[in-house]
Amino acid sequence: MKFCARHLLVPLLVTGIAAPLSAIPAAAAGPGPADRVPPALTAADGPADKGAVTVVRGGADGPATAVPVGDTRLTGYDEAGGHAVLSAGKAANGGATAAQLRPGDVIASPATPVAPHGALVKVVATRPAADGSVAVDTAPADLVDALGDAKADLRTPLTAADLKVKPLTEGGRATAGQAGGQGIRLDVDVPMPDGVKPTQGNSSALSASMELHPEMLFSYERAHWYGYAPSKAEIGVAADYGAGVKVHAEGSASYDTGHKPLHIPAAEVDVDKTVWLGPVPIVLNLKVDYFYDVSADGKITVDAEQRTDGRLEVGARYDADKGWSALKSPEPTAQGTPARIQGAATAKAGIGSHARLGLYGSVGVEADAMPYLKATATGSAEGTPGKDVKTDWGLYAGLELNGSFFAQLRVFGVKVIDHSWAFPEVRYERKLAGGTGQ
């Protein structure tokens, strides 16, 4: 899972001519090394009207240029049918006219009620309407059309205002806006299979918490002398996290929440975050839900608690020379309390997050991350200090990561030949305690 703005870049949107997309102009073609460096783009404030669209032109053989269209808004949008309607905003600086727009121009819209996931389309044809709006026939566009030659690297923190939380099940709660107004925390008492009950003195067999402080990752680099498609690109989500698992359970038989882990949502988090690269709105979409996974292959009693802290980096990176690859997360750290393990079985319990992320509503990456606690015993064992250990036992903290990249994410302008790529599964596991008896 690699699900972050920096300096202002003020585009010249109010002049009477198309203005450069980047405040740093592209060098004229020439033999020097400096001529091979694409313009650098940094995050900008965007227009005063945060619902206004941007129209850009060109970009196949250099930087894209912005077409001044005032505070034009997208007031009608049929993505499947390829139709859009542009209308002037409330400001007195006018709106787009049919005469201003040319076939091949790119319309980029932030996330709005008309386009909840934003929009990125090419103009095919235009027709003026009697009310002053412009009807536009459209075709799908990609970021190469909108950005042209450019280099950008964004790390955009997600605040409580960006996170839309929807609790789904009883026994769980999700709260947004943790430390510094960022992040989200999930607390849940996990429902257990038949035959599993809390140990004496405990009200819950399995309870867990997960705190995420996420940021969206996006990078792009293209120079037309290298090729039409980007030479480098990245989309992902990163999050500093802390996860705690408390297991106080007695199981009388084997159980499993599915032949493969059964992902049962405890909450949903949705994000449609717009950031501006110069005047171009980049709409990053993220959807996260949580799941739990519990299993045992025999009779076992576990009283144990652990906490895992680390950083997740989930997503995909593209390099023209190497193709697509998964972002890599560093190994987490874990610590546990003195444990009591009895029985003869292996049991595992954990909660995890399933993330789906993309651009302009086009899902491109899916990934799962699950911190877990695992107990193993071959007989009867007491893991607390000072007790006799009669058999082999162990307590482990782990983290599972897996995911895939989907060919549907075409907005980067990178041609794909397969439907999807499965990222290599990664598992980090650390032994917290254990012993060997007679």
Side-chain angles (χ1 to χ4, degrees):
M1 292 185 158
K2 216 171 180 172
F3 32 70
C4 285
R6 312 276 196 262
H7 311 289
L8 294 181
L9 177 70
V10 183
L12 303 178
L13 291 176
V14 295
T15 60
I17 60 173
L21 176 66
S22 169
I24 303 177
D35 297 330
R36 299 296 178 180
V37 179
L41 299 179
T42 54
D45 276 349
D49 182 354
K50 293 298 188 286
V53 303
T54 293
V55 178
V56 294
R57 179 171 299 156
D61 57 357
T65 56
V67 178
V69 293
D71 289 333
T72 297
R73 282 176 168 257
L74 193 67
T75 54
Y77 184 48
D78 177 5
E79 181 180 10
H83 303 293
V85 178
L86 299 179
S87 305
K90 296 180 180 180
N93 56 1
T97 65
Q100 284 179 297
L101 304 177
R102 302 175 186 172
D105 286 352
V106 175
I107 301 170
S109 172
T112 67
V114 172
H117 303 304
L120 187 68
V121 295
K122 284 183 182 180
V123 174
V124 176
T126 61
R127 297 178 302 280
D131 62 359
S133 64
V134 179
V136 184
D137 295 334
T138 68
D142 58 45
L143 283 170
V144 176
D145 302 311
L147 299 178
D149 287 354
K151 181 177 182 179
D153 188 5
L154 297 181
R155 300 292 184 267
T156 306
L158 300 178
T159 67
D162 300 318
L163 305 173
K164 292 168 281 188
V165 180
K166 179 184 177 183
L168 294 182
T169 60
E170 296 181 0
R173 65 185 184 276
T175 53
Q178 299 299 301
Q182 298 180 20
I184 185 167
R185 177 185 172 95
L186 175 78
D187 293 278
V188 62
D189 289 329
V190 179
M192 299 297 285
D194 293 339
V196 181
K197 64 180 182 179
T199 56
Q200 186 175 1
N202 293 285
S203 60
S204 175
L206 173 61
S207 60
S209 65
M210 179 179 286
E211 305 153 24
L212 294 173
H213 302 275
E215 56 184 2
M216 301 292 285
L217 310 179
F218 171 83
S219 66
Y220 169 95
E221 184 173 340
R222 204 290 294 259
H224 70 274
W225 47 80
Y226 188 85
Y228 173 79
S231 58
K232 295 181 181 179
E234 180 182 281
I235 179 173
V237 61
D240 293 323
Y241 75 93
V245 178
K246 297 180 180 180
V247 181
H248 299 283
E250 295 180 4
S252 58
S254 300
Y255 53 88
D256 197 327
T257 54
H259 180 67
K260 294 182 178 179
L262 177 62
H263 294 185
I264 301 177
E268 284 184 1
V269 179
D270 292 291
V271 176
D272 291 299
K273 174 79 170 181
T274 301
V275 294
W276 277 266
L277 282 177
V280 177
I282 308 296
V283 184
L284 303 161
N285 316 121
L286 172 66
K287 185 179 183 67
V288 177
D289 55 49
Y290 297 90
F291 60 88
Y292 65 82
D293 179 6
V294 293
S295 64
D297 56 14
K299 185 176 181 180
I300 192 170
T301 299
V302 180
D303 280 300
E305 300 181 7
Q306 63 98 353
R307 180 175 175 86
T308 303
D309 295 281
R311 180 174 176 83
L312 298 173
E313 295 188 351
V314 181
R317 176 184 290 120
Y318 176 77
D319 185 289
D321 295 328
K322 301 176 182 179
W324 287 100
S325 61
L327 302 184
K328 182 175 176 58
S329 296
E331 186 170 353
T333 60
Q335 57 186 5
T337 60
R340 181 174 72 98
I341 302 172
Q342 294 179 321
T346 296
K348 186 175 76 170
I351 63 166
S353 59
H354 176 68
R356 284 151 284 177
L357 58 149
L359 298 166
Y360 302 99
S362 174
V363 175
V365 176
E366 294 194 1
D368 288 351
M370 188 186 75
Y372 64 85
L373 182 70
K374 186 176 77 175
T376 63
T378 57
S380 177
E382 294 288 340
T384 50
K387 297 286 186 178
D388 292 332
V389 177
K390 301 178 181 179
T391 188
D392 293 336
W393 68 277
L395 182 67
Y396 303 83
L399 174 69
E400 294 178 351
L401 294 169
N402 59 72
S404 57
F405 169 78
F406 291 89
Q408 293 95 307
L409 186 64
R410 298 177 185 272
V411 292
F412 272 121
V414 178
K415 293 183 179 180
V416 293
I417 56 176
D418 294 325
H419 177 68
S420 65
W421 292 264
F423 296 153
E425 184 171 345
V426 177
R427 174 176 292 180
Y428 303 110
E429 190 170 88
R430 176 173 299 178
K431 191 171 186 178
L432 299 178
T436 302
Q438 300 297 321

